[in-house]
Amino acid sequence: MIEVESLYFKYPLSNDYVLKDINLKIGLGEVVGIMGGNGSGKTTLIKHFNGLLKPTKGTVKIFGKDTREESVAYFSKKVGLVFQNPGHQIFSDTVWNEIAFALKNFGFEEEIINKRVKWALEFFNLTQYKDTSPLLLSGGEKKRLCLASVLAWNPDFIILDEPTVGQDFLQKEKLIEIIKMLITQNKTVIVVSHDVEFIWLLQPRLILISNGVIVKDGDCKSVFKDNAILEKCGLTKPQLVELYEELYPLIEQMPVDIVEAHSMLLKLLRGSK
Amino acid sequence: METLAEIIKFINFSFSYSGSTTPILKNINLSIEEGDFVLLVGPSGCGKSTLLRCINGLIPHLYNGAYEGEVIVDGELVKNKNVNELATKVGFVFQNPENQIFMFSVEKDIVFGLENIGLERNEIDIRLKWVLHALGIEHLRYKPPYELSDGQKQRVAIAGVLAMKPKILILDEPTSLLDPRTALDFILLLGELNKKFGLTIIVVEHRIDLLTNVANKIIVLDKGEIVFKGLLKEIIKNKNLNLYGVGVPPVIALQNNLRDEDIIFDEVYLNVKDFAKEIKRRLI
């Protein structure tokens, strides 16, 4: 469980609070989306979830433990953070070693390390690159490598900062599958993203941040109905939501994916003949 | 050499980076016309960035490798031109504007390239005022880059490139760091630059729903080969695009799926409003 109470944060030498009075509880088995305009404080918030940043005021607790009381390494075992920019995370000489790095640091046995690395390589289609330098991978492949490295150590919370940047459609679909699979294992996945179409397919609990304040926290459908809040947060609507609004009341429910929208339209158009 | 409206041409082109045995681009034959707005897509690692490097001359001048066939930009062979000369014809905007903004004010950053090519002061001033106005950033002229928002930084980066008056503008995932509203505004701005100044634009972008209203052509790369090229409105109808990692926007995917049920649309509706209007029209 991640519990955030009255969190305020400002960077050293700055007078302005980047986060203001944040209150949140995120339990196991949840998918949570965090969205908001550029500079709204999303990344600053998630850096509190593994103790990388400590509150200026208020508290953040991970499984009941205050993030001020233990090291980042301690919390990282439970909370894996995949950065937006793979360059901030990759530093080993080969893809294999990159994935094995954290596992070695956490003191796993050699046999387990080998099994986990092999699994991660296969799962993310990276086996062919195991002896390659990560620097030679494409942007999208580097991104997958970062995710593979974090999943290999099996944390309870997985935080993904802009996971779809540089990812093609197939990788995005796979990412949705992975997230759904992780949820069935009672893991929690927190996704920070600008990609409204991706978020819509994921249908998470959605938290919107504007200017360091949580302005909305609710289910995906109710959030995307709130025009004023979307405007405030620099968000556009997913196309399926737009379509629903254009065709309401001809269609009465928001379709969550293409399959659902297709059957709604088919019924509508065939019914008219 | 080529003096037609063809501004970029690849002829039987293949390339492998030195040290690699597999070609990253294979047998590319491609022609882009002046004023085209091209969307370049394909799965990660398919060779998109390499293709772009062949246009601005980073390949073969800075990246070594096996270079076969020809790449012609604005009538001249890329391999015979140096990168500096090509930089005045081909403007490149990186994914992250932080990688290309480095001076202490917006004005200084924009004129940096112009001073480097030795333009006269008067011409520099004219171009500076022109880009500040064209991109709507006059108010940012004396600001330091660190005071700018991400959307503003993206505009400054493009201003510095546009001031060089390139004929071709290349952007590698320009909206990936922008929030959806800012991203949409930025893409509309590109559409305007394309229409107003006849600028040839090539954009690599995975979120293609943003671009369907401004791009006219599309190139799909897979494993270093071109699998589709042509008019966006035609190609986007192809259901196999998904197999190549191209995320067809929902509104178009729906039209493609309905076609399988014998519900045929005379044209491709690229945005939701037009599509919904057509659905309503059919119900009357």
Side-chain angles (χ1 to χ4, degrees):
Chain A
M1 170 85 93
I2 295 177
E3 292 167 282
V4 181
E5 255 183 53
S6 309
L7 162 65
Y8 284 78
F9 179 79
K10 60 180 175 185
Y11 285 99
L13 306 176
S14 168
N15 293 323
D16 302 323
Y17 281 100
V18 187
L19 294 175
K20 287 166 263 190
D21 197 21
I22 303 281
N23 290 283
L24 261 185
K25 271 188 189 161
I26 300 175
L28 284 175
E30 279 196 78
V31 190
V32 181
I34 300 180
M35 300 186 93
N38 290 122
S40 57
K42 305 180 296 291
T43 302
T44 306
L45 176 62
I46 57 169
K47 282 183 180 165
H48 280 83
F49 293 165
N50 68 349
L52 262 182
L53 294 175
K54 318 282 185 199
T56 310
K57 283 195 284 185
T59 56
V60 176
K61 288 181 184 166
I62 315 292
F63 291 111
K65 193 93 163 166
D66 193 313
T67 54
R68 288 196 194 84
E69 290 171 9
E70 288 285 352
S71 65
V72 178
Y74 172 88
F75 291 111
S76 293
K77 260 190 194 172
K78 297 175 170 56
V79 184
L81 175 58
V82 182
F83 289 97
Q84 178 175 319
N85 183 347
H88 292 166
Q89 189 155 354
I90 289 174
F91 49 86
S92 299
D93 56 346
T94 66
V95 166
W96 178 284
N97 287 341
E98 182 64 38
I99 299 176
F101 179 82
L103 296 169
K104 283 180 190 161
N105 268 288
F106 288 143
F108 286 100
E109 283 172 29
E110 187 78 26
E111 199 190 324
I112 293 177
I113 293 177
N114 288 340
K115 266 190 192 159
R116 294 249 183 120
V117 175
K118 224 173 143 213
W119 169 82
L121 286 169
E122 274 167 24
F123 198 80
F124 288 94
N125 285 337
L126 293 168
T127 308
Q128 54 178 321
Y129 301 125
K130 68 182 170 62
D131 301 318
T132 307
S133 160
L135 299 176
L136 293 177
L137 301 183
S138 77
E141 287 159 350
K142 279 184 194 156
K143 200 99 181 172
R144 258 148 58 206
L145 173 59
C146 293
L147 185 53
S149 311
V150 168
L151 287 190
W153 83 71
N154 203 21
D156 291 308
F157 287 85
I158 297 110
I159 306 176
L160 311 172
D161 196 358
E162 292 292 355
T164 63
V165 170
Q167 296 296 303
D168 62 54
F169 173 75
L170 298 175
Q171 293 305 331
K172 282 189 197 181
E173 275 203 327
K174 183 148 191 186
L175 193 57
I176 289 178
E177 262 174 49
I178 294 168
I179 293 172
K180 288 185 174 160
M181 178 205 78
L182 289 168
I183 300 311
T184 63
Q185 296 173 356
N186 209 28
K187 307 275 180 199
T188 293
V189 181
I190 301 170
V191 181
V192 173
S193 182
H194 285 319
D195 191 336
V196 287
E197 299 296 347
F198 176 77
I199 288 289
W200 184 251
L201 291 178
L202 206 54
Q203 290 286 314
R205 163 186 170 191
L206 192 51
I207 296 170
L208 300 191
I209 300 187
S210 171
N211 207 12
V213 176
I214 292 181
V215 288
K216 192 95 182 175
D217 181 352
D219 71 279
C220 197
K221 284 181 181 162
S222 70
V223 173
F224 275 113
K225 270 185 192 163
D226 195 332
N227 289 334
I229 289 286
L230 292 179
E231 183 75 25
K232 194 173 179 180
C233 297
L235 296 179
T236 53
K237 287 188 182 178
Q239 286 196 339
L240 293 180
V241 176
E242 253 187 88
L243 185 68
Y244 157 79
E245 290 184 350
E246 290 288 335
L247 291 178
Y248 182 84
L250 294 169
I251 55 173
E252 287 169 350
Q253 277 177 359
M254 283 187 183
V256 291
D257 55 27
I258 299 283
V259 176
E260 207 175 289
H262 176 73
S263 67
M264 284 176 181
L265 290 181
L266 205 56
K267 209 170 138 194
L268 194 65
L269 291 164
R270 289 254 162 92
S272 71
K273 278 184 185 172
Chain B
M1 294 217 83
E2 307 291 327
T3 51
L4 298 170
E6 257 175 0
I7 193 153
I8 298 169
K9 194 164 178 157
F10 284 72
I11 306 167
N12 300 329
F13 182 79
S14 299
F15 182 76
S16 359
Y17 288 104
S18 61
S20 166
T21 47
T22 42
I24 183 97
L25 291 175
K26 280 176 268 182
N27 197 29
I28 303 285
N29 283 291
L30 177 66
S31 135
I32 293 174
E33 288 171 16
E34 200 158 5
D36 272 346
F37 194 131
V38 183
L39 182 54
L40 175 60
V41 291
S44 55
C46 71
K48 297 186 295 286
S49 301
T50 304
L51 187 84
L52 300 181
R53 286 177 189 150
C54 294
I55 299 172
N56 69 1
L58 290 182
I59 293 175
H61 300 293
L62 293 179
Y63 289 89
N64 298 325
Y67 190 95
E68 280 172 42
E70 304 294 2
V71 182
I72 300 165
V73 170
D74 199 23
E76 299 190 82
L77 288 170
V78 167
K79 65 182 178 199
N80 292 346
K81 291 294 217 181
N82 63 39
V83 176
N84 299 353
E85 283 172 301
L86 284 161
T88 60
K89 292 186 177 183
V90 186
F92 202 97
V93 179
F94 292 94
Q95 185 180 79
N96 188 348
E98 307 264 352
N99 291 347
Q100 71 196 96
I101 299 176
F102 54 92
M103 296 298 281
F104 299 113
S105 75
V106 167
E107 176 185 295
K108 288 202 165 75
D109 204 82
I110 293 174
V111 302
F112 177 80
L114 303 176
E115 286 173 346
N116 267 287
I117 55 170
L119 282 189
E120 284 180 20
R121 193 72 244 169
N122 191 31
E123 177 63 17
I124 291 179
D125 281 346
I126 291 171
R127 291 202 193 181
L128 173 66
K129 281 183 191 141
W130 170 69
V131 286
L132 287 171
H133 179 73
L135 298 179
I137 50 172
E138 285 115 325
H139 59 296
L140 304 177
R141 181 169 174 170
Y142 302 109
K143 287 217 176 209
Y146 57 80
E147 275 189 22
L148 307 178
S149 72
D150 290 351
Q152 288 169 336
K153 278 184 197 156
Q154 195 66 277
R155 279 175 188 244
V156 172
I158 202 173
V161 172
L162 205 60
M164 303 284 280
K165 293 221 167 152
K167 290 190 166 179
I168 302 158
L169 188 61
I170 296 179
L171 304 102
D172 193 1
E173 290 208 58
T175 68
S176 58
L177 302 176
L178 303 180
D179 63 55
R181 176 73 52 189
T182 316
L184 189 62
D185 289 346
F186 183 74
I187 292 298
L188 293 176
L189 171 78
L190 290 181
E192 225 180 285
L193 293 173
N194 170 251
K195 283 212 170 72
K196 243 188 196 167
F197 305 112
L199 198 62
T200 307
I201 297 183
I202 305 174
V203 179
V204 171
E205 185 60 78
H206 287 294
R207 283 153 66 182
I208 72 172
D209 51 303
L210 285 170
L211 281 139
T212 46
N213 282 315
V214 290
N216 67 328
K217 302 259 180 83
I218 184 167
I219 298 167
V220 184
L221 270 183
D222 185 50
K223 299 189 186 88
E225 290 180 277
I226 293 180
V227 284
F228 292 103
K229 61 181 172 184
L231 290 173
L232 180 86
K233 274 202 169 188
E234 291 304 317
I235 306 283
I236 205 94
K237 287 194 270 189
N238 196 313
K239 289 191 82 175
N240 290 333
L241 279 181
N242 282 353
L243 302 177
Y244 298 105
V246 181
V248 174
V251 67
I252 291 161
L254 280 171
Q255 293 167 64
N256 292 345
N257 290 355
L258 287 169
R259 207 185 312 125
D260 289 349
E261 307 277 353
D262 286 331
I263 296 175
I264 311 289
F265 297 91
D266 294 335
E267 63 172 295
V268 180
Y269 297 97
L270 295 173
N271 65 62
V272 173
K273 270 201 166 60
D274 293 341
F275 179 55
K277 213 162 125 189
E278 171 60 16
I279 298 276
K280 284 187 205 159
R281 191 191 64 77
R282 286 176 179 233
L283 293 175
I284 296 170

